[in-house]
Amino acid sequence: MKKRFLFSAAMIFTGLCLIALGCDGGSSSSSSSSSSSSGCNGGSSSSSSSSSSGGTIPNAKFVGNITHQGQIPSDFAQYWDQITCENEGKWASVEATRDVMNWSGIDRAYNYAKQRGIPYKQHAFVWGAQYPSWMDRLSASEQKAEVEEWIRLYGERYPDTAMIDVVNEPDHKRPGWYTAIGGTGASGHDWVIWSFEKARQYCPKAKLILNDYNVLRWDTDKYIAIANKVKARGLLDGVGCQAHGLESQAFSELQANFNKIKAIGVPIYISEYDVNIADDNQQRQILSQQFPLFYESSQVVGITFWGYIYGQTWVANSGLIRNGQHRPAMTWLIDYLATH
């Protein structure tokens, strides 16, 4: 959201030319904004005439978002300067049938990012959910080969990917075939390390991230232990802190856990942020307290909200634009980013 509401700083940095434009390829969902509530860029979407790649992470922090129902809303560039696929980048979406690849969803978001000179983040490579069901019927050797092939094919097609959630939710949702790619091994998480090794081999330009939930709330120390194992191998470029379910957390506890994460000593990505509150003023209050904690940390590279159109987010009340109108939290965010 930041430099697309705010705009001028990022646009000066990237030297992009701005034009009013819909999403890539003309395929987008309807806009959620109205003429009475525009962003700080005057309500126009933006497009890059630059040849910079989707692998370029701007010096300024990004504030991004995800695709919605497989499409890119027509007002996306008005608010956000980084993009992630909500579901289209997951292995089950790409290869539901063995050796039949459907790259269309990633193509859409990746090309959109490249055209606008904003970073694309791949979510995710290895995860114990939303992987192809046919994997469960293969031998261990076949499973290992298929995971490596998935990572290799991705790297060949999208060489300029900026960031990748290499392993998602390692202990919370470990894949049933984790033993085929190293199992626990000597480190206790050899399968995670193997996944990062393959990602480094086939996606050498991308920032490699370990992504998980409960990182900022309940399972902080367990997550840090895994992250440090990957870091010790020189494979960890950043940590992804999913930021769901923080609405009822004491702010002092959030601060303390965030400080623990910073002590890992690598860049931080707030990867899936939302504030699932029905009351407008309460949502604004929570966002206005939590967001600066993340945004004003020098270790945070960027923040990705997990949806913004009310009624199209994975939880009922996290949307920031409802019936074409900015909720108070969205208005606060625009105003905050205009001065930071």
Side-chain angles (χ1 to χ4, degrees):
M1 179 175 299
K2 170 159 187 172
K3 303 300 194 257
R4 296 290 181 196
F5 307 145
L6 185 145
F7 227 60
S8 56
M11 296 304 99
I12 291 171
F13 169 75
T14 57
L16 302 178
C17 297
L18 305 179
I19 58 174
L21 187 68
C23 72
D24 176 57
S27 176
S28 70
S29 63
S30 61
S31 170
S32 63
S33 68
S34 71
S35 59
S36 62
S37 58
S38 63
C40 291
N41 62 352
S44 65
S45 297
S46 64
S47 175
S48 170
S49 61
S50 165
S51 61
S52 63
S53 74
T56 300
I57 300 177
N59 286 341
K61 296 177 191 287
F62 65 74
V63 180
N65 219 302
I66 58 173
T67 58
H68 290 266
Q69 300 176 351
Q71 301 295 325
I72 304 169
S74 60
D75 65 355
F76 189 96
Q78 178 177 334
Y79 300 113
W80 317 104
D81 61 356
Q82 178 269 324
I83 190 166
T84 300
C85 290
E86 182 175 20
N87 288 301
E88 308 92 279
K90 295 165 184 173
W91 191 7
S93 298
V94 175
E95 196 178 2
T97 300
R98 190 178 183 184
D99 296 329
V100 178
M101 311 303 287
N102 177 12
W103 301 108
S104 60
I106 304 178
D107 282 351
R108 186 179 299 115
Y110 178 83
N111 291 332
Y112 181 93
K114 289 197 72 171
Q115 290 166 5
R116 287 156 180 80
I118 65 174
Y120 171 74
K121 180 183 180 186
Q122 165 62 7
H123 177 75
F125 275 171
V126 176
W127 185 30
Q130 291 183 257
Y131 66 82
S133 59
W134 49 260
M135 277 287 287
D136 294 328
R137 300 188 292 271
L138 303 182
S139 67
S141 61
E142 289 176 312
Q143 288 171 336
K144 183 178 182 180
E146 289 291 344
V147 180
E148 182 167 357
E149 180 186 62
W150 153 235
I151 296 172
R152 175 179 60 81
L153 291 176
Y154 179 92
E156 291 171 353
R157 191 175 183 91
Y158 307 108
D160 293 323
T161 299
M163 303 159 283
I164 300 171
D165 290 332
V166 177
V167 176
N168 193 48
E169 303 171 4
D171 280 357
H172 289 124
K173 199 66 177 177
R174 188 171 60 185
W177 34 266
Y178 80 102
T179 56
I181 57 174
T184 54
S187 71
H189 288 88
D190 279 12
W191 67 277
V192 174
I193 293 168
W194 181 93
S195 300
F196 273 81
E197 289 172 342
K198 294 305 174 183
R200 181 72 83 211
Q201 178 181 350
Y202 295 116
C203 307
K205 295 168 65 175
K207 301 298 184 183
L208 306 185
I209 299 167
L210 180 71
N211 194 55
D212 208 345
Y213 68 86
N214 282 355
V215 171
L216 296 168
R217 189 145 199 191
W218 291 295
D219 297 329
T220 309
D221 293 340
K222 293 179 181 179
Y223 173 79
I224 290 171
I226 303 172
N228 280 330
K229 293 173 184 179
V230 182
K231 182 187 175 186
R233 302 296 185 97
L235 297 167
L236 187 69
D237 296 325
V239 290
C241 302
Q242 295 183 27
H244 303 302
L246 307 182
E247 294 86 0
S248 61
Q249 186 177 17
F251 188 65
S252 59
E253 181 185 64
L254 177 60
Q255 288 176 305
N257 288 341
F258 185 54
N259 286 336
K260 287 183 177 182
I261 296 297
K262 288 194 289 186
I264 299 171
V266 297
I268 297 169
Y269 299 82
I270 304 300
S271 57
E272 302 181 25
Y273 188 42
D274 49 34
V275 180
N276 184 33
I277 295 290
D279 181 84
D280 283 349
N281 290 327
Q282 188 178 3
Q283 186 193 46
R284 178 193 181 280
Q285 180 182 10
I286 293 171
L287 183 68
S288 66
Q289 184 180 50
Q290 294 179 352
F291 187 89
L293 173 68
F294 304 138
Y295 192 80
E296 294 176 19
S297 169
S298 61
Q299 272 182 256
V300 172
V301 178
I303 299 169
T304 303
F305 281 81
W306 210 248
Y308 68 105
I309 301 173
Y310 198 92
Q312 296 184 32
T313 56
W314 79 293
V315 286
N317 299 302
S318 65
L320 296 168
I321 299 179
R322 181 169 51 206
N323 298 325
Q325 300 296 318
H326 296 162
R327 293 181 71 186
M330 183 72 154
T331 300
W332 173 86
L333 187 57
I334 293 171
D335 292 343
Y336 172 85
L337 291 173
T339 58
H340 289 79

